């Protein structure tokens, strides 16, 4: 049984991603923990949602830093980000697209900073010739996040293996859906 706060958050995020109106009882049940364990770490739904938003944003910031987004060669940056796609999937799903749905509008400002770093990274990729220059950088960054979200959901539902997801994201991002 999951009892660590981080494990509880990791278990609760996919549940909330599927149903933003889900109750604490249902979150606990679907996450495989008791409601008592959930409320011991997060006394209210608002505490849980706030902690999830902070974790997702922290994970995205760490992923961008690990990828050395400002200095590493673009191929290395893209590879690192694609292999660390889950926080960006969660960011897109739970925080960035509709932050007010979660009742954590202050997360929106942090999400904008993370997304801005992602856009800057895409602009670097465009300048290096790795990514298309004829598409807006914001669109390509949004595409990366959207592909990450799709890969994450397909992995959670068992339609794709976790080792396939990075290759899927890279293939579609760099080559599109052509045969």
């Amino acid at each position: 049984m999951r009892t660590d706060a981080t494990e509880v958050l990791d278990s609760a995020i996919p549940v909330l991603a599927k149903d933003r109106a889900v109750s604490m009882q249902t979150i606990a049940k679907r996450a495989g923990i008791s409601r008592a364990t959930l409320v011991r770490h997060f006394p209210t739904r608002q505490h849980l949602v706030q902690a999830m938003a902070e974790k997702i944003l922290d994970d995205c910031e760490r992923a961008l830093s690990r990828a050395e987004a400002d200095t590493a060669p673009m191929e290395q940056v893209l590879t690192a980000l694609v292999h660390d796609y889950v926080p960006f999937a969660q960011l897109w799903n739970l925080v960035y697209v509709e932050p007010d749905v979660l009742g954590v509008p202050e997360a929106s400002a942090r999400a904008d900073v993370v997304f801005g770093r992602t856009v800057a990274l895409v602009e670097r990729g465009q300048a290096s010739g790795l990514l298309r220059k004829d598409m807006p950088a914001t669109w390509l960054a949004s595409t990366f996040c959207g592909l990450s979200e799709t890969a994450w959901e397909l992995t959670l539902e068992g339609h794709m293996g976790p080792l396939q997801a990075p290759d899927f994201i890279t293939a579609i991002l760099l080559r599109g859906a052509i045969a």
Side-chain angles (χ1 to χ4, degrees):
M1 181 180 282
R2 299 169 181 93
T3 57
D4 173 82
T6 301
E7 291 174 333
V8 170
L9 283 176
D10 287 341
S11 298
I13 287 171
V15 175
L16 192 63
K18 290 288 182 197
D19 180 3
R20 290 189 171 107
V22 69
S23 69
M24 291 285 278
Q25 179 65 36
T26 302
I27 290 171
K29 181 180 177 183
R30 290 187 191 158
I33 59 175
S34 69
R35 189 174 192 290
T37 298
L38 182 61
V39 297
R40 182 175 68 240
H41 292 292
F42 309 102
T44 66
R45 187 175 192 283
Q46 187 60 32
H47 285 100
L48 174 65
V49 168
Q50 180 69 39
M52 287 190 318
E54 288 174 12
K55 180 187 182 312
I56 291 166
L57 289 161
D58 290 346
D59 289 349
C60 284
E61 289 169 351
R62 273 192 295 280
L64 285 165
S65 295
R66 272 194 303 269
E68 299 177 4
D70 296 332
T71 58
M74 279 312 302
E75 293 83 1
Q76 177 183 329
V77 171
L78 181 63
T79 299
L81 282 180
V82 166
H83 280 86
D84 221 351
Y85 73 94
V86 172
F88 294 93
Q90 295 170 346
L91 172 79
W92 202 246
N93 186 297
L94 292 170
V95 180
Y96 192 73
V97 176
E98 297 180 75
D100 293 335
V101 171
L102 294 179
V104 188
E106 61 273 11
S108 182
R110 272 189 74 197
D112 286 343
V113 170
V114 167
F115 189 69
R117 285 180 69 189
T118 308
V119 170
L121 174 97
V122 167
E123 289 169 342
R124 247 188 83 216
Q126 290 174 311
S128 76
L130 180 66
L131 299 174
R132 295 174 61 155
K133 294 179 183 179
D134 63 331
M135 305 293 259
T138 302
W139 190 91
L140 289 172
S142 297
T143 299
F144 165 68
C145 291
L147 288 170
S148 296
E149 179 185 13
T150 300
W152 178 55
E153 288 179 1
L154 289 171
T155 301
L156 289 174
E157 294 170 1
H159 300 294
M160 175 185 292
L163 298 178
Q164 291 175 303
D167 291 338
F168 163 81
I169 295 166
T170 301
I172 298 297
L173 186 62
L174 294 181
R175 292 180 289 288
I178 59 174

